[in-house]
Amino acid sequence: MKEFLQILRRFVPPYKKYLGLSILFNILSAVLNIFSFAALIPILQILFQVDGGIRVNEYMHWNGDWGSIKEVATNNLYYYIQEFIVVHSASTALLVIGVFLAFMTFLKTGAYFLSSATIIPIRTGIVRDIRNQIYQKINSLSLGFFSEERKGDIIARMSGDVQEVESSIMSSLDMLFKNPILILFYFITLICISWQLTLFTILFVPPFGWFMGVVGKKLKAHSIEAQALWSDTMSMVEETLSGLRIIKAFCAEEKMNKRFNQVNSSYRDNIMR
């Protein structure tokens, strides 16, 4: 987590505009998602006649008390739906609510897509900046460094390590700026619906968090090992290309094939784990 935050502080500031748009669309997606689920309640009550269906006696006026705003809003919503059913029939009301639900789902999906799309310039831009800095660092190193360092390790850092940053760390950007917003809005909604049930649900958060932390540490260890094996693989390819004449002169093709197969199989087994 510390390395991830360091990468964000170093590379995200040039892309603040896209970050702001992503947060905005994530908030919009969370709000629309809540409204989409809320639209299911009157549909279920009309279809299955839950609590006798939608039954409201009269329209309620809000007296300014914020504690009763939920009751007033729910009552008035059901009042208008009831009046619509009386005038146009339950099937027509069900059709209108279904169309409204489909429209809200379309807006929610569009906001979700836009939130993911605005993250793409950040991800690709950060990976580009990392590659540029690595290349500039290579050009600034002395010749003595390259006499001791294997070229395969350098190539692996330019390809495999940067790809690992993009696939494992940068892919977390979407979750970092999306999940907290969704959790916050859903948590507020759950409290408004039933704070007792929400409190009961929170009791399960610590054990699940501990379990996810243990799994994350194991995955990180395997990831570091996989990077080292990928570096060995690229080094063997570079050494083979550089000394291909020597390998053929001593008829060592079979030996080199076995060595490469061993390293490549180790990398594959590590990725599978």
Side-chain angles (χ1 to χ4, degrees):
M1 188 65 182
K2 182 179 179 181
E3 294 82 0
F4 178 63
L5 295 177
Q6 288 177 350
I7 292 177
L8 292 184
R9 285 195 295 265
R10 289 182 59 187
F11 297 101
V12 168
Y15 308 98
K16 290 181 179 179
K17 177 181 68 174
Y18 297 105
L19 180 60
L21 289 175
S22 178
I23 294 175
L24 175 63
F25 288 127
N26 281 324
I27 294 175
L28 185 61
S29 176
V31 173
L32 293 174
N33 201 13
I34 292 173
F35 275 105
S36 298
F37 281 113
L40 288 173
I41 298 176
I43 291 179
L44 295 176
Q45 289 183 321
I46 294 175
L47 285 176
F48 302 105
Q49 296 295 309
V50 179
D51 296 330
I54 296 177
R55 296 181 300 177
V56 180
N57 294 325
E58 58 183 8
Y59 181 85
M60 293 179 60
H61 294 279
W62 184 47
N63 57 5
D65 183 14
W66 289 100
S68 63
I69 187 172
K70 174 188 172 184
E71 180 183 356
V72 173
T74 303
N75 179 87
N76 292 341
L77 174 64
Y78 288 172
Y79 173 80
Y80 286 119
I81 295 176
Q82 178 181 269
E83 291 296 315
F84 191 88
I85 292 175
V86 171
V87 176
H88 300 283
S89 76
S91 59
T92 304
L94 185 63
L95 176 62
V96 171
I97 297 175
V99 172
F100 174 76
L101 175 62
F103 178 70
M104 294 298 294
T105 304
F106 171 77
L107 293 180
K108 177 195 70 175
T109 306
Y112 179 84
F113 172 78
L114 290 174
S115 66
S116 299
T118 50
I119 283 291
I120 294 177
I122 302 178
R123 292 178 55 184
T124 56
I126 290 177
V127 172
R128 179 200 60 188
D129 296 340
I130 291 175
R131 286 200 179 100
N132 286 338
Q133 290 193 13
I134 293 177
Y135 187 80
Q136 294 170 7
K137 182 65 176 179
I138 291 174
N139 285 331
S140 65
L141 294 173
S142 62
L143 293 177
F145 174 82
F146 298 98
S147 62
E148 300 177 358
E149 188 76 11
R150 294 186 300 179
K151 295 180 181 178
D153 290 339
I154 301 175
I155 297 174
R157 289 186 176 92
M158 284 289 293
S159 58
D161 290 1
V162 175
Q163 188 67 30
E164 184 70 19
V165 170
E166 181 179 10
S167 60
S168 63
I169 299 181
M170 290 301 104
S171 60
S172 302
L173 278 173
D174 197 19
M175 294 186 293
L176 178 65
F177 300 116
K178 179 179 297 182
N179 290 352
I181 295 174
L182 294 177
I183 291 173
L184 177 62
F185 277 85
Y186 290 164
F187 187 73
I188 294 175
T189 304
L190 289 174
I191 292 178
C192 295
I193 296 175
S194 175
W195 67 267
Q196 297 92 339
L197 186 60
T198 304
L199 182 62
F200 176 76
T201 305
I202 293 176
L203 297 178
F204 293 93
V205 173
F208 281 113
W210 172 82
F211 176 75
M212 293 176 63
V214 172
V215 174
K217 290 180 179 179
K218 290 185 177 180
L219 290 176
K220 182 179 180 181
H222 286 303
S223 176
I224 294 174
E225 185 179 351
Q227 292 181 27
L229 291 173
W230 174 251
S231 177
D232 293 339
T233 303
M234 296 301 297
S235 296
M236 286 199 64
V237 172
E238 188 273 330
E239 292 171 0
T240 301
L241 294 175
S242 301
L244 192 57
R245 293 183 179 180
I246 300 176
I247 294 174
K248 289 185 175 297
F250 287 92
C251 299
E253 293 92 338
E254 189 64 26
K255 181 178 180 180
M256 295 299 296
N257 290 339
K258 290 181 180 179
R259 285 181 57 192
F260 184 81
N261 180 63
Q262 182 180 2
V263 175
N264 199 26
S265 298
S266 299
Y267 176 72
R268 182 244 189 188
D269 294 339
N270 185 274
I271 292 297
M272 287 183 61
R273 289 197 302 270

